[in-house]
Amino acid sequence: MLETRVENNRRFSLLSSDLAEISRALTSRFENDRNFKIWIGGMDLSVFETDIFDEKFAFEVAEYLMKRLHAFGHSMPIPALKLEAHYKEAQAGGDDYWIFALKAQQDRLSGTVRGVPPIDDLERQLRNVQRGLERASDTLTVESDLGNQLRILAMRINTKIQKPGWLQSPDSAHDVVGGFAEEINRKITAVYNKILDMEEVEADLKGKIELRKFVDEIIEATRATLLNIGKKDIAPKIHALRKPTPEIVERAATKKRETSAPLPIDKDKPKTEAKDGFDNLEITKAKLSQLIEAARASGNKLKILVPPEGRLRVRFEQQWNGVLSKMGFDGSVEFVVYEDLKRTTDTKTPLIVFKGMNTHGNLWNRARFESVSVIDMTPLLIINSL
């Protein structure tokens, strides 16, 4: 009976564990060993260092490597000897080995999605976030248009001559309108921050959905195989499983460091406090002009921090290209995200950061960079004033 087989206490050494050890040895002890590399035959065994693989595939790889032992002649390294011994034990163990290996597989895979909600819950949360993004994008468009109109009105008032009957001077009228425009810019910054946070949540949910679907598929196939052990050959059951994408492997590797539930918009996330008040357009243009001159003096290149992949990134890139073009910059522009700033060794190229993105101080280390200019105005407001 299946219950008797599943409760069998006989233990084996998993072939996948040996293959993971061989993968690590290939990049350390045996990285310059010609015979060892010939034996591996160019295979990438790194998948066995993750949690996302199936034991049937491990058995097939071990079987392949056993046929290539002649590469060593009479002197085999310890990892090859271990794999050979454990492969023979697995062959001799028959169904008992597969019960042991597949139950270990079930436990391993279940651990990668422990705490991750079911697909239906994840997809419902994703739809809610995407609806929120659409509403925030609409709000951003309205606020940006209003901000543009107020800036234009402020500039027109500033150029008019005072006329009899005005209750306020042109200067004070300019200040009032400018104050409204500044408040609109604060709202725009808040909306940008909200969109950035929601896009992070959206990407997180999409990653969890992909991981959950992939792992659930393997777990279901594993369960079906266990039920059929002893009835027919198990080979077709798991052999057809697709290989995990690098994104799925990365998600599984980082999942253990994340909270168990899909991430909410984190209002308490560590942030770098921005100064009170906003630069006006003239100060903003002066900052950009200085940065452009610095770029021309150091390779004619600028970096601009933009949001991750999503609606805002496309918008930011188009708008910043327009601003720099109107200001006469003809050098190279590189758009970067927080991860790029973490990895880069280029800390000399001048960097432009919109104030709304400078609040994510936990995602990059500003102190590493020699020339950073924080711009208060959105690129859309800047370009419409040029």
Side-chain angles (χ1 to χ4, degrees), residues 234-265:
I234 71 163
K237 289 293 182 179
I238 301 183
H239 179 67
L241 293 177
R242 57 194 173 95
K243 185 178 180 180
T245 64
E247 291 77 16
I248 290 176
V249 173
E250 175 64 20
R251 165 59 64 185
T254 58
K255 180 259 170 189
K256 295 176 183 177
R257 300 192 296 269
E258 299 174 347
T259 57
S260 59
L263 294 176
I265 296 173

Side-chain angles (χ1 to χ4, degrees), residues 16 49 78 80 97 101 162-163 187 195 246 264-265 294 315 340 374:
S16 56
E49 297 181 57
I78 291 176
Y97 173 77
Q162 183 175 0
K163 295 181 179 180
K187 291 181 179 179
I195 291 176
I265 296 173
R315 187 176 298 174
D340 297 325
V374 179

Side-chain angles (χ1 to χ4, degrees), residues 8 12 28 38-39 85 87 103 156 198 203 226-227 252 274 278 295 319 337 350 352 355 364:
N8 192 313
F12 297 84
S28 56
I38 291 174
W39 179 51
Y87 173 73
K103 282 188 64 64
R156 287 177 178 173
M198 285 194 292
L226 277 167
L227 290 173
F278 280 73
Q319 292 170 3
V337 296
I352 295 174
K355 184 174 183 177
W364 68 297

